[in-house]
Amino acid sequence: MRRIRANYQASLVGIAMMAVVTGCSDAPTYTPVAAGSTVVALGDSLTYGYGASSETAYPAVLASLSGWTVVNAGVNGDTSADVLARLDAIIAQQPDLVLLGVGGNDVLQRINPETTRSNLIAIIRALKAADSQVILIAEPHFSVSALFGRVSDNPVYEEVAESEDVLLYERGWSEILADDNLKSDKIHANAAGYRQFAEGLYNYLKDKHIAR
C-alpha cells in the first residue's frame, strides 16, 4: 500500500512538472533589446500623447527609462486600417521592437470588430516578417460605462495576442482612463497618466527580460 501511494505521489509530481514545462514552452519568446536600440511606439492618440506635451507622452518617458531610441509613431485619430496603410514607413526604420497600440478609434467609429482583428493580425505578421519584435498593447473597449469610470480592455487584443503568439500588455490604459486624476478628457491621459503608463509598461518589459 505504501509503495502504491509513493508511486501515485510521484506521478502527481511528474504531471505538475510537465504542466510547468508545457506552460513555459507556450510563452512567446523575445530577444532582449539593448540600450540605444530603435523602438517604435506605433498607434493612435494615446501613443501620440494627446492631452499632454510631446515631452510627457509615454514614448518620451519610456525612452528616458529604458535608454532606447523610442520613435513616437502615434497619430491622432488613427484606426487599425490607418496604421496598416502606413506600415511600410515603419518597417523601413528597421525597429528592434514595435509597441503596437491601436483600435480604440475603431470602437468609437463602430468599425466591425472582425475588421479590427484582421488589421491587427496583418500588422503583426508584416512586422514579424520584417524581423521586428512586437508587443501588443490593449486599449479600452469604450462604451457608455466608460463615462462613469468602468473601463475594461477590448477582448479583441487577447484573442489576437494568442493567435499570433505575441505578448500582450493588459490593463495599462484601462486603469489610467478609469481614474479622473490621470485623464485630460474622457478618453485621453494627462501627463501624469502617460508617465504612469510608461512606467508600468517599462516594468512589464523588464519582467519579460526585454528591457534591462
Side-chain angles (χ1 to χ4, degrees):
M1 184 69 179
R2 188 175 299 168
R3 180 177 299 173
I4 293 173
R5 183 178 300 167
N7 289 340
Y8 176 70
Q9 291 174 339
S11 296
L12 289 178
V13 171
I15 291 170
M17 290 180 67
M18 287 178 64
V20 170
V21 171
T22 301
C24 290
S25 64
D26 287 343
T29 56
Y30 285 74
T31 301
V33 178
S37 298
T38 298
V39 172
V40 171
L42 178 59
D44 49 33
S45 55
L46 290 174
T47 299
Y48 176 82
Y50 185 92
S53 66
S54 58
E55 293 79 13
T56 56
Y58 104 73
V61 179
L62 181 62
S64 67
L65 294 170
S66 64
W68 296 333
T69 299
V70 182
V71 178
N72 188 336
V75 175
N76 292 329
D78 256 16
T79 63
S80 59
D82 294 323
V83 168
L84 181 59
R86 61 186 175 92
L87 197 56
D88 286 347
I90 303 300
I91 291 173
Q93 299 179 56
Q94 299 181 313
D96 296 287
L97 177 68
V98 175
L99 305 168
L100 176 62
V102 70
N105 289 312
D106 291 46
V107 176
L108 293 174
Q109 296 181 26
R110 299 183 180 182
I111 293 170
N112 189 316
E114 288 300 323
T115 299
T116 302
R117 181 183 291 105
S118 296
N119 289 337
L120 289 172
I121 289 172
I123 293 166
I124 291 169
R125 290 182 179 178
L127 290 169
K128 281 186 167 185
D131 294 326
S132 291
Q133 301 183 104
V134 185
I135 302 290
L136 185 60
I137 296 172
E139 293 194 350
H141 191 289
F142 294 112
S143 62
V144 174
S145 63
L147 301 178
F148 299 95
R150 295 188 294 274
V151 185
S152 59
D153 289 350
N154 188 331
V156 70
Y157 298 102
E158 186 174 2
E159 297 166 9
V160 170
E162 184 175 348
S163 71
E164 299 309 304
D165 196 31
V166 295
L167 289 174
L168 173 64
Y169 182 56
E170 303 176 89
R171 294 290 306 159
W173 289 126
S174 290
E175 290 179 0
I176 288 165
L177 296 179
D179 186 343
D180 287 341
N181 294 320
L182 299 174
K183 297 192 294 186
S184 62
D185 59 30
K186 294 296 184 183
I187 59 173
H188 296 102
N190 57 22
Y194 288 121
R195 172 161 286 278
Q196 180 171 308
F197 180 85
E199 290 174 348
L201 177 58
Y202 178 58
N203 288 331
Y204 173 81
L205 294 172
K206 286 199 299 181
D207 288 343
K208 299 300 182 181
H209 307 292
I210 297 170
R212 300 182 186 275

